[in-house]
Every structure is written in C-alpha cells, then in structure tokens.
Amino acid sequence: MDNSFTNNRYSRQTMLPEVGEQGQQRLNNSSVLIIGAGGLGSPAAAYLAGSGIGKITVVDHDTIAEHNLHRQVFYREQHIGEYKAEVLADYLKSLNSDITINAIKTRLLSSNVEQLVNEHDIILDCADNFATIYLLNDTCQAHNKYLISASIIGTKGYLGIFCKTAPSYRAVFPTPPEFAGNCASNGVLGPAVGSLALMQAQQVIMLLLESENALIGKLLNTDFWQSRFTTMDFNSAPEPTAFNTIGIVAREEITDSDLLIDCRSDEEQQNAPVKNSVSVRQLPEDISCYKRLVYFCVSGNRAYLSAVKYVNSELPLYICSEGLR
C-alpha cells in the first residue's frame, strides 16, 4: 500500500487523536462481514469502505426493487432487478480501490455461516430477520466474535453489541416477539434507517480501535421522530440455559427425508400450494420417519416463530424463507 496515497486519503481521519496513524493501520488490517445490503447494510458498508476497513464482505441474495430506493440511496433506478450485493460492491470498489470488497449473492445459511464468520473480525447484522440474527448470534458466540445488530421499523430502532466479551443476543432476547412488524407491513423512514446504519459503522470503528465508549453489552434504543435516545446496559444478563437451535436451509438443500411445514395462511397455501408439504396447523402425529423439520413461509419470520414453539428436540429444526413450489 502506498503510504503517501494512504495518508492523503485518510488524512482528515488520522489527524484525530482517537485514530492516528496506528489506528488507521489497524482499520486497514481489519475485516468486516455485513449481512444484508439494504437500508442498513449499504450505508454502513459505504462509510466503512471510506474509513479504510481492509476487507469488507457483503452477503445478500435479494435484487433491487423500486420501493427500496427511498432509503437505499446507493442504488439507482437503472439498477432495478440487479443483485444488491453486486451493485453495492461495485460502488464500494469505485469509492476505495485500496481495499478488498467481496460480494456474495446468496442467503446466509447454516451451511455457509461458520466459514463467513470465521473469516472476519466483526460481524454486522443488517438483515432484520429473526432466523438470521439468531443463527449469527449462535455462531458468533461459539467463535468469540463481536456481533453488532440493528433493526428499525417506522422511526424507532435499536442497536447493540453482542457476544465475545458481552452477553449474547439470546441473553437479551431469548425468543423473538410473538407479533413483530417489518418494513413491508409497517413502513420505515429513510433518514432514520440511514442514521442507524451510520451508528453501526461508528461502532465498528470504535470496536476496532478499542474505544472504551463502544456499546459493548449495551442496547441503544432510538426514536428518530421524537429525537430520543436511551441506552440499556445488559452486561449482567444471564445466558439462557436451554433453547431451540434453528438452522436455515436453501431450497436446493431440502430432501425427501425432510418434513416440509407450511407456515403461511390458509389463503396463501390455497393460492400457491407447495407439493409434499403439510400445514403447520395440521402436523402429523408420527414424525419419526423424517430426519429434519423444515418450516417455511415467505420471509422466514413466521416459520421461525413456529419452529421456536416446537419442543421436540429429537429432530433438527430448520427454516426456509425462499419461495417453494
């Protein structure tokens, strides 16, 4: 790396006593995994690339839609239909050619999560999905990695740093809420999403520079409409002693030995039936002939909530959020 070019690029950052030349080198030598390239992931990735994080990997299976553009402002109208991970990676490369950018246009799955987490220093959860956050949490907890998770609906959100030296996400949220909205059903304000995303990026830098002010073991609750911000310390939260471990599988990983459980409404099931599946409301009494239970819906959240309630630990529990036919 050309030091004169580096000093010129990051000069307004390295002059800060909180960063300096040594801190900048630490950022240049670090790696960050970002799960989700939407309203949270794309701004966070852009500012982390600008700050000189040496390696950034973006994981997202989704494509850009018109309704994304009001808050996912790093995409353009001509990008509609293209993969978010690829478009965002191209933008990051044009912003900073000095760093390594990886785009992975797939879902986070039980089959790829361990390798992805192991290859990075800090993990950002920007997916806003129950199954994803719990899978990331369990993996980060097992491999001693910091997990920075954020979520927002409407104008209210939260941000927290979990795992490694902090309690895990499960210690604060043992199970997901029974009724939870999302951007599709409740809406979200673009600047509020962007603001929370930049807070995530800020926490990454503070963690890497070992700032004592990083939100380790703390939950920042935000209300951008009321301009209210409160912090809750959860460092004394006990880890749950028992919980259902629920994996995520891709459509192509499902086999005939799996029991497919449809968690959609009766109307959805009638309009788009899935072969060889049973309704979550009509589970067979004998499931001993199956190797796994695979719950599915559209987004994965209803499937995850249904799987959490299943108390039989003899069969592995998985969810699939892809459209099945």
Side-chain angles (χ1 to χ4, degrees):
M1 183 180 294
D2 184 348
N3 287 330
S4 62
F5 178 72
T6 301
N7 291 338
N8 181 58
R9 175 183 287 271
Y10 306 116
S11 60
R12 299 300 186 273
Q13 185 164 281
T14 55
M15 68 173 60
L16 295 171
E18 296 87 353
V19 182
E21 292 291 341
Q22 290 186 345
Q24 186 60 55
Q25 193 61 49
R26 187 177 295 176
L27 297 181
N28 295 150
N29 293 335
S30 66
S31 59
V32 176
L33 173 66
I34 302 177
I35 306 299
L40 290 171
S42 54
Y47 275 85
L48 290 174
S51 71
I53 301 299
K55 173 185 171 183
I56 298 174
T57 299
V58 179
V59 179
D60 197 307
H61 70 283
D62 203 6
T63 56
I64 299 165
E66 184 178 14
H67 62 77
N68 297 145
L69 301 181
H70 94 280
R71 65 194 183 281
Q72 299 175 24
V73 296
F74 293 93
Y75 305 131
R76 301 292 178 261
E77 290 182 356
Q78 64 265 29
H79 294 142
I80 292 175
E82 298 181 34
Y83 283 100
K84 292 180 181 180
E86 289 184 339
V87 175
L88 180 58
D90 287 343
Y91 174 83
L92 300 179
K93 291 173 184 176
S94 69
L95 174 65
N96 192 345
S97 60
D98 234 14
I99 63 177
T100 300
I101 305 295
N102 299 315
I104 301 180
K105 53 181 184 180
T106 187
R107 297 173 186 270
L108 186 75
L109 302 167
S110 296
S111 57
N112 62 23
V113 64
E114 296 226 6
Q115 180 178 351
L116 287 169
V117 166
N118 274 329
E119 292 176 350
H120 298 82
D121 299 320
I122 295 178
I123 316 303
L124 259 65
D125 163 44
C126 303
D128 203 16
N129 178 279
F130 292 148
T132 298
I133 176 58
Y134 284 102
L135 179 60
L136 278 176
N137 173 80
D138 296 346
T139 308
C140 288
Q141 183 80 337
H143 295 277
N144 201 35
K145 298 292 179 79
Y146 278 122
L147 171 65
I148 305 179
S149 179
S151 178
I152 186 167
I153 296 175
T155 61
K156 298 179 180 179
Y158 74 82
L159 180 154
I161 299 179
F162 307 90
C163 301
K164 198 171 182 176
T165 62
S168 74
Y169 185 89
R170 286 189 185 275
V172 185
F173 305 104
T175 58
E178 180 69 27
F179 301 101
N182 54 47
C183 293
S185 60
N186 294 78
V188 67
L189 193 64
V193 182
S195 297
L196 193 60
L198 301 194
M199 290 180 179
Q200 273 191 291
Q202 175 75 12
Q203 291 301 312
V204 169
I205 294 172
M206 294 174 74
L207 276 180
L208 291 171
L209 298 183
E210 299 181 347
S211 168
E212 63 182 13
N213 296 315
L215 294 172
I216 300 173
K218 295 179 181 179
L219 195 70
L220 175 67
N221 293 294
T222 63
D223 185 334
F224 290 99
W225 196 256
Q226 299 293 334
S227 298
R228 294 176 182 169
F229 306 89
T230 59
T231 304
M232 180 190 78
D233 191 316
F234 61 85
N235 278 289
S236 61
E239 294 292 338
T241 56
F243 53 85
N244 278 337
T245 299
I246 301 171
I248 306 177
V249 294
R251 176 171 46 192
E252 59 270 18
E253 294 176 323
I254 297 173
T255 69
D256 292 338
S257 63
D258 296 323
L259 175 60
L260 275 179
I261 303 172
D262 195 336
C263 301
R264 299 173 300 163
S265 67
D266 291 338
E267 183 179 359
E268 289 175 292
Q269 293 181 28
Q270 292 172 4
N271 292 337
V274 174
K275 294 180 179 179
N276 302 320
S277 68
V278 299
S279 172
V280 70
R281 290 169 288 279
Q282 297 176 331
L283 291 178
E285 293 185 7
D286 184 11
I287 58 172
S288 60
C289 59
Y290 298 99
K291 290 186 177 180
R292 302 185 301 184
L293 304 184
V294 179
Y295 295 75
F296 71 92
C297 62
V298 178
S299 69
N301 280 341
R302 285 177 291 178
Y304 194 87
L305 287 170
S306 297
V308 165
K309 297 176 183 178
Y310 196 80
V311 296
N312 188 338
S313 60
E314 294 180 1
L315 291 178
L317 305 176
Y318 288 83
I319 71 107
C320 181
S321 60
E322 298 180 65
L324 300 177
R325 291 291 184 272

